Amino acid sequence: MSLFDKFKQFQDLKQQFDGMLPFGAVTEEILSPTQAIVNGQNVILAGTNNYLGLTFDPEAVAAAQDAVAENGTGTTGSRMANGTFAEHIKLEQELAEFFGTRSAIVFSTGYAATMGTSATLAGPGDVILLDADSHASIYDGVRLSGADIIRFRHNDPADLEKRLRRLKDREGDTLIIVEGIYSMLGDVAPLAEIAAIKRDYNAYLLVDEAHSMGVMGDKGRGAAEAAGIEADADFLVGTFSKSLGSIGGYCVSNHAELELIRFATRSYIFTASASPSVIASTRTTLRLMQERPELQRQLWKNAQRLYAELKNLGFEVGPQASPVVAVRTDDADKAAQWWQELFALGIFVNLVIPPASPAEFCLLRCSVSAAHSEAEIQDIIAAYATLTQ
Ligand code: PMP
């Protein structure tokens, strides 16, 4: 027995894929939101989560550059101690305005936002019901909460309700945690049904909109907006690292107590706040996202085309079209082989293997961008068409 025995599974995995891409892939130069040089090769980036393609927007780049020049490279401290800059507060005000909520908290990463709120909102004596396919940040958070944790079947409101019914006479509060668009298969949570159940059982609802903010809803506020259930979502959390092209996270809520939750959330208190340049570019892309609704339309056009074409080619794709387009196989060697063949053809996708993927399957996962040209989408489709299924 040794401390290191539990890491042996990773040694085995490392050996299986030793020297193989994508684990040794190094992005040497980013040419645009959709193209880069990786290990000496020009590739189309097809797995970046850069949904609106704003990472090179001249206004966002200029705002980040100005902020570095004015306020330096980092805040060098936690917001509670010495790291709340005026810009952090402005971004919080802009987020609250955008979501139409009473207040907002900005975190240093999306992980810190989701993990921190999942850990803090419910506590000992409470129950958290979470979708079984929840992101690792949610699982990590609820483990720290001290609440009783119950998983319900992925995207299955009937199973959620069954489990709530069993809790009928229990004391304590109930928090339901779901995502908007799920990051692995790109399927959307049935939020209208979940919100109705939440009302019936007098529970609280937290929705992680990491993959749906900027992607769904007329105003880009996410899956809760698209489902018309924002009033039922007690807490919306999300990230700046996808549609907004930077790094950081948020939690917005209409509950006045959100301002107190700030003082209890350890992933907010005990970490340095986001750099001024990050906040400046995020403020800019939040505005650009609202000014350019055509980006969301282009994103869905690209997503629908890629999803339909990969499905037509006979690949096993997720249950519905969305900007996350994942091809599934149960064979890890085949998935790795496919990844290499796509890379050789200049297409960089995400290879997801257990334990990162839900259940025991592997995924070749694309995330589509509004910035992908028609020709780039065609190149991605053409590359998939060469794979032997
Ligand atoms: N929640 C979900 C659903 C995610 O997919 C992610 C990132 N993949 C996060 C939270 C964490 O966000 P970040 O990577 O920006 O820290």
Side-chain angles (χ1 to χ4, degrees):
M1 259 305 270
S2 101
L3 190 71
F4 306 115
D5 285 351
K6 57 184 169 297
F7 305 118
K8 182 159 181 326
Q9 51 167 323
F10 300 110
Q11 180 65 30
D12 295 346
L13 257 182
K14 211 166 158 279
Q15 252 153 21
Q16 188 184 353
F17 295 108
D18 206 24
M20 282 168 69
L21 294 166
F23 304 106
V26 177
T27 304
E28 285 141 1
E29 208 179 321
I30 314 258
L31 306 172
S32 75
T34 58
Q35 299 207 9
I37 301 175
V38 176
N39 286 28
Q41 186 176 330
N42 276 64
V43 292
I44 295 174
L45 296 169
T48 57
N49 306 314
N50 195 354
Y51 294 122
L52 302 182
L54 290 172
T55 45
F56 280 81
D57 183 274
E59 277 189 67
V61 170
Q65 285 169 335
D66 289 350
V68 171
E70 274 168 35
N71 290 319
T73 51
T75 67
T76 68
S78 141
R79 292 190 54 189
M80 285 287 178
N82 60 343
T84 282
F85 285 32
E87 295 268 313
H88 291 117
I89 296 169
K90 281 187 198 144
L91 176 56
E92 286 180 341
Q93 287 163 347
E94 286 158 3
L95 283 165
E97 202 173 308
F98 173 61
F99 284 101
T101 54
R102 197 192 289 246
S103 52
I105 303 179
V106 163
F107 291 81
S108 302
T109 64
Y111 178 88
T114 310
M115 190 276 282
T117 47
S118 302
T120 311
L121 291 169
D126 298 327
V127 181
I128 297 177
L129 286 124
L130 76 159
D131 185 288
D133 280 7
S134 289
H135 188 256
S137 54
I138 297 174
Y139 273 104
D140 291 354
V142 299
R143 270 192 211 115
L144 292 172
S145 70
D148 290 338
I149 314 301
I150 300 173
R151 290 192 304 176
F152 62 91
R153 263 206 304 272
H154 174 56
N155 269 356
D156 187 340
D159 192 48
L160 168 65
E161 179 159 27
K162 189 176 83 188
R163 289 164 197 276
L164 275 164
R165 225 179 294 129
R166 285 190 198 141
L167 294 171
K168 202 168 53 109
D169 299 322
R170 223 192 119 109
E171 302 268 306
D173 288 317
T174 307
L175 173 68
I176 300 167
I177 304 183
V178 296
E179 296 175 27
I181 292 178
Y182 281 84
S183 58
M184 290 295 138
L185 294 174
D187 45 347
V188 179
L191 287 180
E193 287 99 314
I194 290 170
I197 294 169
K198 168 238 143 127
R199 284 194 300 271
D200 285 350
Y201 288 84
N202 206 17
Y204 292 90
L205 175 63
L206 180 151
V207 184
D208 182 345
E209 300 265 22
H211 292 269
S212 32
M213 190 256 217
V215 171
M216 292 183 74
D218 282 348
K219 303 280 181 216
R221 293 198 297 260
E225 185 200 355
I229 60 102
E230 285 172 293
D232 292 305
D234 297 277
F235 304 95
L236 294 178
V237 296
T239 178
F240 305 147
S241 73
K242 304 185 195 304
S243 291
L244 299 183
S246 65
I247 184 165
Y250 63 85
C251 175
V252 296
S253 176
N254 258 327
H255 292 286
E257 292 82 357
L258 189 69
E259 278 310 312
L260 303 176
I261 292 163
R262 190 191 290 274
F263 293 95
T265 307
R266 297 169 69 86
S267 65
Y268 172 84
I269 303 167
F270 295 103
T271 195
S273 61
S275 298
S277 57
V278 165
I279 298 292
S281 80
T282 307
R283 289 186 63 204
T284 308
T285 50
L286 179 63
R287 173 172 57 75
L288 294 176
M289 182 180 91
Q290 294 169 73
E291 287 171 3
R292 299 185 196 161
E294 67 276 12
L295 291 177
Q296 196 193 128
R297 285 196 291 276
Q298 184 60 40
L299 170 67
W300 278 93
K301 200 170 151 211
N302 288 345
Q304 261 141 2
R305 176 157 173 237
L306 183 64
Y307 178 85
E309 295 280 348
L310 295 192
K311 197 171 179 181
N312 277 347
L313 287 170
F315 287 105
E316 193 179 340
V317 288
Q320 67 191 101
S322 87
V324 175
V325 182
V327 163
R328 179 184 157 160
T329 167
D330 294 339
D331 179 345
D333 291 325
K334 191 185 208 179
Q337 175 69 27
W338 278 354
W339 191 93
Q340 314 248 351
E341 288 177 30
L342 290 176
F343 182 76
L345 292 168
I347 308 297
F348 194 104
V349 300
N350 306 131
L351 172 62
V352 189
I353 51 177
S357 56
E360 282 304 301
F361 51 82
C362 304
L363 297 171
L364 285 177
R365 176 186 174 278
C366 293
S367 54
V368 180
S369 174
H372 281 125
S373 66
E374 276 188 28
E376 287 171 332
I377 297 287
Q378 185 50 44
D379 285 350
I380 299 169
I381 295 163
Y384 269 92
T386 67
L387 304 177
T388 319
Q389 291 182 47

